[in-house]
Amino acid sequence: MSFDVTRRREAPSGVWKKMVLVNGQSPGPLIEVSTGDIVRVKVNNLIWDESTTINWHGIHQRNTTWMDGVAGISQCAIPPAKSFTYEFEIIDQRGTFCMVPVNARRRTLPDVILINGLAVFTNCNFTSSTWSSFMPPICEPSSRQFTTPMPNTTTRFRLINHSSFTYLYFTIDSHPYLTIIEIDGVEVEPITVPGIHLNIGQRYSVLVSPIHSTTTGSFVMRATIPKSCFLPYVPYTSEILESVNHQGTALLSYSPNPNSSLPQNIKPVVDIPQNCTNPPFNLPVPIRKMAAFPPDTAHPSRNTHQINFQFQQAGPTSYSPLPHSAQLWLSLPQTLDSGSDPGSYNNYNFPLNQQVLFLPDPNKTVQIAINSRDIMEHPFHLHGHTFQIVA
């Protein structure tokens, strides 16, 4: 299949903004595959003034690291008017994953939360906090996403937080329980919860059942920003987000003739946890058991690293891939040596924003301690791997 990546003005919420589209749509096309399948996608960069890649978020890329799609790390970005074909095998993975266009000019903080690319916002008197243009704001009619499951059936929802900055909490009105069955591509024993915490890039599969066998009508699905987890730490306000209670809405309808209008007499907001913490790390139990990775007791420090991260203002903050310097390819001809301290950083003559963690024992267990020195929460993931959390 082919992906045409473009940038143009669209109004999924009723307000026109520039968007990155894949095959003219957002969200992009759905790819359904089975374990063992080969994925082959030709990406055509039709954005005239910037490079791009497609990151296959969550796919392990066994033996095809160069197909991961991270500009400046695993490949050089695709220049304007050029193409690149991604080809890789799905090896022993199941679940929900997402494709992310990685562009040079990544946009700012949100004004609107979209669910499946749609939202309703009709008040053009508000000023966007994140978008400026020489053109006045243009309002168009918009609608909500609505989902219509089969009557008296349990439906699997695949939830993806596709934002680049905001943590979300997903709920369905009058549905007190959602059942988690998959987290970030790992099938787990069922976990019953009132709502789903979705951090940036996270994916969950949940089962949703009607309240009763005779349930009819429509119910509001909400993706809400927990304000105490986000706003106190970010010098950012949005009149538009405040006007919709910092939430995006869609509809779950058991009616034969649904529409995108909100039901009558609904609550404007719902109670959501504000403690900003993850559930106990041993709560999810993988269905497909895996033996614990054995520690390297003979040389415990050789494959042990500490990663400390903190957000700091350091000049211009717009992300820009490094041209002609994909880190994977630049590292291949080098002789890497961990030096006197195997767990230390060493940039091996790379730029300061291209760090290298050297593993002297590639076939042994790696232990990574991650320390957040920032007051705002932020997820951490390592491309090509699924972690075993031990502490």
Side-chain angles (χ1 to χ4, degrees), residues 3-7 43-50 52 79-83:
F3 283 178
D4 291 340
V5 181
T6 57
R7 185 187 291 281
V43 176
N44 305 307
N45 182 11
L46 304 184
I47 304 176
W48 69 272
D49 61 344
E50 61 183 292
T52 191
K82 299 295 183 180
S83 302

Side-chain angles (χ1 to χ4, degrees), residues 167 169 197 226-229 233 272-279 377:
Y167 164 95
Y169 186 69
H197 296 267
K227 291 187 288 185
S228 65
C229 306
Y233 313 121
I272 60 175
Q274 299 286 347
N275 56 5
C276 315
T277 59
N278 289 320
E377 66 171 59

Side-chain angles (χ1 to χ4, degrees), residues 303 359-365:
N303 275 5
L359 304 178
D361 298 322
N363 297 317
K364 298 290 182 67
T365 298

Side-chain angles (χ1 to χ4, degrees), residues 65-86:
T65 307
W66 51 91
M67 293 292 173
D68 192 35
V70 182
I73 302 297
S74 59
Q75 72 169 98
C76 296
I78 307 167
K82 299 295 183 180
S83 302
F84 181 85
T85 299
Y86 293 94

Side-chain angles (χ1 to χ4, degrees), residues 6 15 24 46 51 53 58 65 78 83 86 89 103 114 118 130 166 185 209 235 275 290 308 310 339 352 364:
T6 57
V15 179
L46 304 184
S51 300
T53 61
T65 307
I78 307 167
S83 302
Y86 293 94
E89 182 180 0
N103 289 80
L114 306 177
L118 294 174
T130 65
T166 52
S209 300
N275 56 5
M290 179 184 294
N308 305 312
Q310 183 175 11
L352 291 178
K364 298 290 182 67

Side-chain angles (χ1 to χ4, degrees), residues 32-69:
E32 294 183 276
V33 297
S34 299
T35 297
D37 285 353
I38 301 293
V39 176
R40 184 181 297 109
V41 178
K42 181 181 180 181
V43 176
N44 305 307
N45 182 11
L46 304 184
I47 304 176
W48 69 272
D49 61 344
E50 61 183 292
S51 300
T52 191
T53 61
I54 296 290
N55 169 229
W56 307 89
H57 186 75
I59 300 299
H60 283 164
Q61 298 291 358
R62 296 284 187 253
N63 304 314
T64 51
T65 307
W66 51 91
M67 293 292 173
D68 192 35

